[in-house]
Amino acid sequence: MRIALTIAGSDSGGGAGIQADLKTFHQFGVFGTSVITAVTAQNTVGVRAWEALPAGLVAQQIDALATDLPPDALKSGMLGSEELVETTAAGIARYSLPHYVLDPVMVATSGDALFADSVGAQHAVPLLIARRLVPLAALVTPNLDEAAILVGEEVRGPDQMERAARALVGMGAQAALVKGGHLAGNEIVDVLAVGGTVRRFSHARLDTTSTHGTGCTLSAAVAAGLAHGRPLEQAVTDALDFVHRAIAAAPGLGRGHGPLNHFVPAPPRPPNDGL
């Protein structure tokens, strides 16, 4: 049984964050563990309130898991303060945790900010993510806005997405997947840069508001694939396919941006995995 770890915030609505990650890990046949960085009061309409956990408790969660249930791969999501970014980076480096997928969560699907409400935090946290976490990552998975913040330039189309993905690799990441869900038009393009190569993935846009937790689910699915030992490009391909089908089969819950359907089948596990 392979282990995948999520370091992220708790979503009381169950569609994103820790909850979405653990559901995705389960579907992909890996044992999910979690380090909770924040507790949110949210639903499909928006984030009503959130509070970060103390950095010391986050560090102890990482220590507890790394010394007894070491992950074969991991992902991080909501890290709402400079202190939590530093704590996460230190923990990953301290235990040389492998196959790290960085989802640089900055804003919820509802548009609510997920940074500590302090002077300069909305500038300091992204800069610290770029400096401390990007160089540790096997893969960075920003959307258009997150990519623009991390690389410091506008990202609005596939060509700019490619430049941003290459820039993130130049900042130290092994690979970068710039997600195009916010692109205009009927086609969505996601751009993957690995080393010196670039690949574009395209699929038709689905007419739906059930998009809550797409980034969380995608990064968790990639981490699960990496935990199984799949090559990065295969893990990304499987994850994009899973998310697309999960959106298409969304149950239509809530009055806002509804959750995906995490019950859709994941790509089959290798035959030597048992079940």
Side-chain angles (χ1 to χ4, degrees):
M1 177 70 72
R2 304 297 179 91
I3 298 174
L5 164 64
T6 170
I7 303 174
S10 170
D11 172 11
S12 55
I18 291 286
Q19 287 81 352
D21 295 340
L22 293 178
K23 291 172 186 177
T24 303
F25 289 162
H26 181 83
Q27 284 302 91
F28 273 75
V30 297
F31 183 81
T33 60
S34 61
V35 169
I36 297 177
T37 60
V39 175
T40 70
Q42 66 174 299
N43 52 28
T44 66
V45 178
V47 180
R48 297 187 178 188
W50 70 271
E51 187 168 338
L53 267 65
L57 182 55
V58 171
Q60 288 185 56
Q61 291 179 77
I62 295 173
D63 291 341
L65 295 175
T67 55
D68 183 51
L69 295 164
D72 297 290
L74 73 152
K75 62 147 289 185
S76 69
M78 179 183 178
L79 303 172
S81 70
E82 295 171 79
E83 192 173 21
L84 288 177
V85 173
E86 287 284 8
T87 298
T88 299
I92 293 171
R94 180 163 63 253
Y95 294 104
S96 300
L97 299 181
H99 305 305
Y100 168 44
V101 180
L102 166 59
D103 181 13
V105 175
M106 300 178 190
V107 178
T109 302
S110 59
D112 296 294
L114 297 174
F115 289 136
D117 187 17
S118 61
V119 176
Q122 299 209 17
H123 297 288
V125 173
L127 289 174
L128 199 59
I129 289 174
R131 183 169 63 85
R132 296 284 282 123
L133 292 178
V134 168
L136 297 172
L139 179 70
V140 188
T141 63
N143 61 30
L144 299 183
D145 295 332
E146 292 160 348
I149 292 170
L150 290 173
V151 303
E153 60 182 56
E154 186 178 63
V155 181
R156 284 289 173 265
D159 291 340
Q160 292 171 318
M161 292 166 68
E162 180 174 328
R163 287 197 297 272
R166 290 183 183 276
L168 287 165
V169 172
M171 292 161 60
Q174 295 176 38
L177 176 70
V178 179
K179 301 172 297 189
H182 294 168
L183 289 172
N186 295 322
E187 184 180 60
I188 291 177
V189 178
D190 303 294
V191 178
L192 174 67
V194 183
T197 65
V198 174
R199 177 179 174 183
R200 296 186 181 185
F201 300 85
S202 301
H203 61 263
R205 181 182 299 279
L206 297 171
D207 184 15
T208 180
T209 58
S210 296
T211 55
H212 183 56
T214 50
C216 305
T217 300
L218 177 68
S219 56
V222 175
L226 295 177
H228 277 305
R230 295 172 187 160
L232 176 66
E233 191 165 334
Q234 183 62 52
V236 169
T237 301
D238 290 346
L240 289 169
D241 175 65
F242 178 76
V243 169
H244 185 72
R245 288 184 289 109
I247 295 172
L253 302 178
R255 296 179 291 108
H257 292 282
L260 315 186
N261 185 349
H262 290 94
F263 287 108
V264 298
R269 301 189 297 276
N272 62 354
D273 277 357
L275 298 178

